[in-house]
């Protein structure tokens, strides 16, 4: 195995941010939803999209480590109230905070907080960029 792969596995183990097949990474940079999506694509990944509680916890740990909420790759831009992954597929798992989603004003993106809970939020805030690979 190449050194880079070994280092990467050790890093992931120490940082505890892998869940199943996916690894989640942040480098501290921030952006709005479009910037976050583009940044992860450019890095060869996807904006982190939690599909189960293990993945959600792995992402939550990164939010806690950086003390900054993050957008996830879920939105209802196309149809209000119908939250979908970036692929266009309807979400099969959610972890909404109490009372959310409430579409306050217009909130079509989703942020994850340090408690792991989700809030629908304007897509134009600056959030920690977390990608999945
Ligand atoms: C903020 C935004 C909303 C969120 C709302 C609730 C407020 O708007 O983050 O996306 O839904 O907070 O958390 O909950 C309560 N109980 O006030 C607040 C705007 C006034
Ligand atoms: Ca909300």
């Amino acid at each position: 195995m190449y050194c880079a792969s070994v280092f990467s596995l050790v890093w992931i183990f120490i940082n505890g941010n892998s869940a199943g097949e996916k690894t989640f990474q942040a480098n501290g940079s921030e952006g709005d939803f479009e910037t976050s999506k583009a940044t992860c694509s450019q890095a060869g990944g996807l904006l982190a999209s939690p599909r189960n509680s293990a993945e959600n916890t792995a992402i939550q740990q990164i939010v806690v480590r950086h003390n900054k909420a993050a957008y996830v790759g879920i939105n209802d831009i196309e149809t209000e109230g119908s939250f979908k992954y970036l692929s266009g597929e309807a979400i099969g798992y959610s972890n909404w905070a109490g009372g959310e989603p409430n579409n306050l004003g217009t909130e079509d993106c989703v942020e994850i907080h340090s408690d792991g809970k989700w809030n629908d939020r304007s897509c134009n805030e600056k959030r920690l960029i977390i990608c999945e690979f």
Side-chain angles (χ1 to χ4, degrees), residues 11-29:
W11 189 89
I12 287 160
F13 178 77
I14 290 169
N15 287 279
N17 69 342
S18 87
E21 301 287 291
K22 292 182 184 175
T23 64
F24 299 99
Q25 292 188 25
N27 67 6
S29 66

Side-chain angles (χ1 to χ4, degrees), residues 16-95:
N17 69 342
S18 87
E21 301 287 291
K22 292 182 184 175
T23 64
F24 299 99
Q25 292 188 25
N27 67 6
S29 66
E30 300 179 3
D32 63 15
F33 178 69
E34 285 302 323
T35 301
S36 298
K37 246 183 12 177
T39 300
C40 291
S41 296
Q42 279 157 21
L46 266 183
L47 186 56
S49 308
R51 286 174 179 260
N52 55 54
S53 63
E55 292 184 358
N56 202 73
T57 299
I59 295 166
Q60 177 191 355
Q61 287 167 349
I62 298 175
V63 168
V64 168
R65 195 182 305 146
H66 288 265
N67 191 30
K68 180 81 185 174
Y71 284 116
V72 292
I74 293 170
N75 67 78
D76 72 342
I77 292 169
E78 193 179 282
T79 306
E80 178 51 38
S82 175
F83 286 90
K84 295 170 181 171
Y85 300 115
L86 302 175
S87 64
E89 178 193 352
I91 57 170
Y93 160 84
S94 65
N95 196 36

Side-chain angles (χ1 to χ4, degrees), residues 97-104 107 111 113 119-122 127:
E100 306 297 343
N102 59 2
N103 196 37
L104 211 68
E107 299 184 316
E111 62 185 7
H113 292 147
N119 173 37
D120 62 337
R121 194 67 193 261
S122 156
R127 292 291 177 261

